[in-house]
Structure formats: structure tokens, C-alpha cells
Amino acid sequence: MPDDDKLIESIKFLLKSVKQLSDRFVESDAKLNQGFEAVSAEVSDLQKRIKAMEESLVEFSDQSLLRQRPIQAPELPVRRETTDRTVPSINLPTDTVIEIYGSTPVLLEPFSRPCSVSARTLSGEIDEVELEIFAQGTTWALETLDGGWILLPKQGSLQRRTQVQTLERFYEIDGVKEIPATLHLIEPASGLAVEYGRRWKLKKKDRLSIHPDPHHQGKVQRLMVLEQRLSRVETRETTESKESI
């Protein structure tokens, strides 16, 4: 049965070839998996290094901020994983943070980063309201317990019209906008971190109210009267000087 022998040999050859192909495939697949694992490990290592560099940049920025404001140890609970940071994260729910802001806002300063509207927003380069870290900023960016951010007006009397104009970018303002005035937070605006700890964009606009500050208004009015009197004196002196000539 020569034909049967040939058929058997052919089948054996085919089986041997299939096995060789299978072995090569398994070998190639193993090498490919090893390659993917190596690449994945490298990517993971790079991500860790990038995160460490970003954290170093934020820490450097935070240390620069502290050199320009009094050092104040946190008196409120700190999230354990941020204890060693220059500006730690507060370990309290947002509702409690707002209550503290309304009564003793200075306690929130160690957890807050001052910021102001970015040049890109002011110049019209971007449509979004963007804020960036700024030591003399009039807004605090504070990370909440769930990892979000709230934007709080820096407490104090509003003395300039530009302060109100800035607030209007991320707050609906109730009340008569007379200067000087005091503000009352109704609901905090929220921000989205574009660059952690350094740059944010407005996520949700919210509300606050402002009311005339009688104590400061009296001082401002007296200053205005003095300025007017000084102006009249200077005008009189100028007139008399010209007449004498």
C-alpha cells in the first residue's frame, strides 16, 4: 500500500510542521508578552518619576508662598497622607469648611493656596476663567476631602472696584455693590485642577453677597473730604502764585 504510506508520511510531516509553527508561536508570544511587560514596567516607572517631579515642583512653589506669609501650623485635621507637605490637605467635609470660613477663616489659610485670574483669561486668549498661583492673590484654592477644589474669596473688606470685578468672574453677587464692603459666602465656587496646586479653571460658578461696611465707609468718606480740601488748597495756592507774578 504505497499510497497509504505516502499519505501517512504526509500527515506526519504536516503534524510536525504544525507543531513547529505552534512552538514558534508560543515562543514568539512569550517574547512579545515579556516585551509588553518590560514596556509596561518602564511606563509605570516613568509615570512615578513624573509624579515625583510634579510633586517636587508643587512643593517648591508652596515653599515660595510660605516665605511671603506668616508660618502657621494647622489647627484643623490634616489628611494623613499629606502631613509632610508644606500645604497639606484638610481632613474635613466641605460643609464644615464653609462653616469655619464663615466664623474663623484664618484657620483655613494653612490649607489654602492664594491665586488670581490668569493673564490668559484677562487677555482674552482663552474663554475659560482660569486661576493661577499668585502670592498676593485675593482668592484661596482649597482641596476638599473628596479631592475636588473650592474657590474662596480671601476674607477681608473689599476696598477696590477691581476686587468686585474679579469676584464677578466666578460668583453671582447679591446686594448693593458699594465699596468698601464686606462679603458673605452663600455657596462656594468650585474649580478643576489643570496643574495640581498651581493652576485651576472654573468648574461651577456660585453665589455670595456683599454689604456696605459702615466702619470702613466712614474712614473712606473722611479721606475723600481731606482729599477734596487738599485739592482746593492746592488750587488756591496755584491761583495766588499766578496773580503775584
Side-chain angles (χ1 to χ4, degrees):
M1 299 173 58
D3 291 339
D4 291 341
D5 291 340
K6 289 181 179 180
L7 180 60
I8 291 171
E9 290 298 322
S10 298
I11 292 172
K12 287 181 178 180
F13 177 77
L14 288 173
L15 290 173
K16 183 178 179 181
S17 299
V18 168
K19 186 178 184 309
Q20 289 176 342
L21 287 172
S22 177
D23 291 342
R24 288 176 184 173
F25 176 80
V26 170
E27 184 180 350
S28 298
D29 186 59
K31 289 181 179 179
L32 191 61
N33 286 334
Q34 289 176 356
F36 279 134
E37 289 174 358
V39 170
S40 178
E42 289 180 6
V43 169
S44 178
D45 181 61
L46 282 173
Q47 288 175 333
K48 290 178 181 178
R49 290 166 63 184
I50 290 172
K51 184 179 180 181
M53 290 177 65
E54 289 176 342
E55 290 176 351
S56 296
L57 285 173
V58 172
E59 188 67 14
F60 177 78
S61 175
D62 289 342
Q63 289 175 359
S64 298
L65 288 176
L66 283 189
R67 285 196 288 269
Q68 301 180 56
R69 75 183 188 193
I71 297 176
Q72 180 182 347
E75 297 181 37
L76 298 172
V78 176
R79 281 169 53 186
R80 185 172 57 184
E81 65 272 21
T82 67
T83 302
D84 296 331
R85 295 182 187 174
T86 302
V87 179
S89 297
I90 196 166
N91 194 27
L92 291 172
T94 303
D95 290 346
T96 304
V97 170
I98 302 310
E99 289 177 8
I100 294 169
Y101 176 80
S103 59
T104 320
V106 69
L107 294 178
L108 298 177
E109 188 167 15
F111 304 93
S112 305
R113 293 177 172 86
C115 55
S116 62
V117 178
S118 73
R120 299 201 306 165
T121 293
L122 294 174
S123 66
E125 181 182 342
I126 58 174
D127 295 329
E128 295 90 350
V129 177
E130 182 184 66
L131 297 103
E132 58 188 358
I133 200 80
F134 182 57
Q136 284 74 45
T138 55
T139 301
W140 283 345
L142 188 146
E143 188 175 14
T144 58
L145 192 58
D146 60 2
W149 294 84
I150 54 176
L151 307 173
L152 303 172
K154 191 174 181 180
Q155 276 286 23
S157 178
L158 301 176
Q159 301 288 341
R160 300 184 301 277
R161 177 62 56 184
T162 52
Q163 290 176 294
V164 177
Q165 292 171 343
T166 297
L167 287 174
E168 286 178 321
R169 290 181 179 273
F170 44 96
Y171 277 100
E172 298 291 345
I173 299 178
D174 299 337
V176 180
K177 301 170 187 176
E178 296 180 5
I179 301 298
T182 57
L183 60 86
H184 171 69
L185 184 66
I186 299 172
E187 287 292 337
S190 59
L192 182 66
V194 177
E195 187 178 351
Y196 182 88
R198 304 180 74 188
R199 191 183 298 272
W200 303 263
K201 68 178 180 180
L202 180 65
K203 180 180 179 182
K204 181 176 177 290
K205 195 172 185 177
D206 234 298
R207 295 175 59 219
L208 58 78
S209 63
I210 61 175
H211 307 282
D213 187 338
H215 178 69
H216 287 88
Q217 275 197 333
K219 291 182 179 179
V220 170
Q221 288 171 353
R222 287 196 295 271
L223 286 172
M224 289 176 64
V225 170
L226 289 173
E227 288 177 354
Q228 290 171 358
R229 291 175 60 184
L230 179 60
S231 178
R232 287 197 295 268
V233 170
E234 290 175 343
T235 302
R236 189 184 311 127
E237 289 179 348
T238 302
T239 303
E240 291 174 353
S241 177
K242 288 182 180 178
E243 289 176 350
S244 65
I245 294 174

